Amino acid sequence: YVSGDIFRINPSFRKIPDSVVIIGGGYIGLETASFLSILGSRVKLVEVKDRILIDMDKEIIDKLYPLLPEMDVYFNNEVKSIEKVNERYKVNLLQDNGNRESIYADAVIMATGREPVFPDGLDKIGIVYDRHGIKVNSGMQTNIKNIYATGDVNGITPLFHAAKRQSLVAAHNIMSDGKLTDYYDPLSVPYTLYTIPQMSYVGITPEYAIRNNIEYTEVKYDLKEDTLAEAFDEMYGEITLLVDKRMKIIGGYAIGNDAGNVINEIALAVKNGLTARDFAEMAHQHPMTFEGLDTAARKLF
């Protein structure tokens, strides 16, 4: 199976297996592993690297990982072959130290990532691209100024809501006769990992800041203090804001209850240059996890 077999309308994957092997520790693999574990499957997740979600900030992922539902994770393992043995599957692994191991399950799900599908003729007309996507500027223009590429095909932010924003940017620039009047900012687009619990981030992350010598201060709100998390008996995770020396909110992340909603307000702050004081002076509604935003920001004053 692949993710489409599970998540499309009228899926072919319709029965929760007693056990499942999921190949790939990226976002599709982790989301699927979370759902199936909660629904009762014994999940075995195989990842070729030494940690899950290798393309995401390690500080954030290290906080998420202990909160995930029960699953066995096989790090540093490459899948060499899959065999059908009676009604089950035998997945043969090669570890990076050369050892071999086989694991068994009632179903196997391939979740090793996606690649853009390019239209025919790119080379013929001279469009610049690589395996990650078609190259565009911040106005969504390719190297041929009257040709635009938006959405997953440019590989910048492969998310549905990012594609909508990119399409608007392209439309505005097309309507202005190719003069750039609108620009796409990938750092202001929120990302949510729909694991259990959710994890969301936007803007500058700690790892990005350190790598690019960006000075920042972190302020945190622990969901153990949160009324809504208490009501749902999900008192784990946190909201963290990253603030620069001008007190502007440059990024943030949330793990736990309502993370996918909370991150939108942080994204709005990043996009519009709001400050920690803007959050600190906001009376967020009670009882909502959004209260954590002003609570965290007030720690700076």
Side-chain angles (χ1 to χ4, degrees):
Y1 296 100
V2 296
S3 62
D5 297 320
I6 303 173
F7 300 118
R8 69 164 61 100
I9 296 174
N10 298 318
S12 56
F13 189 98
R14 302 188 67 85
K15 181 182 177 182
I16 303 302
D18 290 333
S19 59
V20 60
V21 171
I22 297 176
I23 302 169
Y27 74 95
I28 296 174
L30 262 294
E31 289 173 347
T32 307
S34 292
F35 301 155
L36 291 177
S37 179
I38 288 293
L39 291 171
S41 289
R42 297 188 303 277
V43 176
K44 300 175 183 180
L45 184 122
V46 180
E47 169 55 45
V48 71
K49 303 291 186 180
D50 61 357
R51 69 178 181 93
I52 58 171
L53 302 163
I54 195 71
D55 295 326
M56 298 185 188
D57 191 291
K58 187 175 185 301
E59 176 181 316
I60 304 173
I61 299 309
D62 284 349
K63 293 178 179 180
L64 172 69
Y65 184 58
L67 303 177
L68 293 174
E70 182 178 357
M71 63 185 76
D72 296 322
V73 183
Y74 295 76
F75 292 111
N76 300 307
N77 273 275
E78 180 183 357
V79 174
K80 300 304 291 182
S81 62
I82 302 171
E83 307 170 42
K84 187 76 178 288
V85 180
N86 298 321
E87 296 302 313
R88 305 190 80 208
Y89 293 91
K90 177 183 179 184
V91 181
N92 300 307
L93 307 178
L94 175 65
Q95 300 169 7
D96 63 356
N97 60 11
N99 292 335
R100 295 180 180 271
E101 182 179 1
S102 297
I103 55 179
Y104 296 81
D106 299 307
V108 178
I109 298 171
M110 182 70 69
T112 53
R114 297 182 176 184
E115 295 180 352
V117 177
F118 299 119
D120 295 334
L122 291 185
D123 293 319
K124 186 175 181 179
I125 63 175
I127 293 287
V128 175
Y129 68 98
D130 60 21
R131 67 183 185 89
H132 299 293
I134 295 172
K135 299 299 182 182
V136 295
N137 61 20
S138 59
M140 299 292 105
Q141 287 177 321
T142 67
N143 59 299
I144 299 176
K145 296 306 180 184
N146 65 327
I147 299 178
Y148 296 73
T150 65
D152 293 2
V153 77
N154 64 38
I156 298 172
T157 315
L159 300 169
F160 179 81
H161 52 286
K164 287 199 299 181
R165 173 64 187 138
Q166 290 178 15
S167 296
L168 287 169
V169 169
H172 294 155
N173 291 329
I174 290 168
M175 294 300 290
S176 62
D177 198 27
K179 298 174 183 177
L180 298 190
T181 59
D182 198 1
Y183 304 88
Y184 176 70
D185 175 18
L187 284 177
S188 68
V189 176
Y191 181 100
T192 295
L193 180 69
Y194 292 99
T195 46
I196 301 171
Q198 295 177 3
M199 181 277 287
S200 302
Y201 67 88
V202 70
I204 303 297
T205 63
E207 196 171 86
Y208 182 98
I210 292 168
R211 188 168 61 246
N212 291 278
N213 298 314
I214 298 171
E215 294 183 27
Y216 70 98
T217 300
E218 278 188 4
V219 285
K220 185 175 77 169
Y221 173 73
D222 196 316
L223 290 192
K224 287 187 293 187
E225 306 170 19
D226 188 65
T227 305
L228 190 63
E230 182 179 10
F232 282 101
D233 194 24
E234 297 177 357
M235 298 176 67
Y236 44 77
E238 65 182 74
I239 299 171
T240 297
L241 301 176
L242 276 70
V243 181
D244 69 10
K245 57 187 178 182
R246 302 166 298 171
M247 301 301 286
K248 285 194 174 183
I249 297 168
I250 58 172
Y253 59 90
I255 301 170
N257 180 67
D258 221 20
N261 282 322
V262 170
I263 203 64
N264 287 295
E265 188 168 329
I266 304 175
L268 188 64
V270 171
K271 182 179 185 301
N272 291 292
L274 300 184
T275 67
R277 186 169 292 280
D278 291 322
F279 271 8
E281 295 176 350
M282 173 66 188
H284 288 93
Q285 185 173 230
H286 176 80
M288 300 293 287
T289 305
F290 286 89
E291 294 176 282
L293 298 174
D294 59 80
T295 302
R298 280 195 296 272
K299 294 179 181 179
L300 293 168
F301 300 102

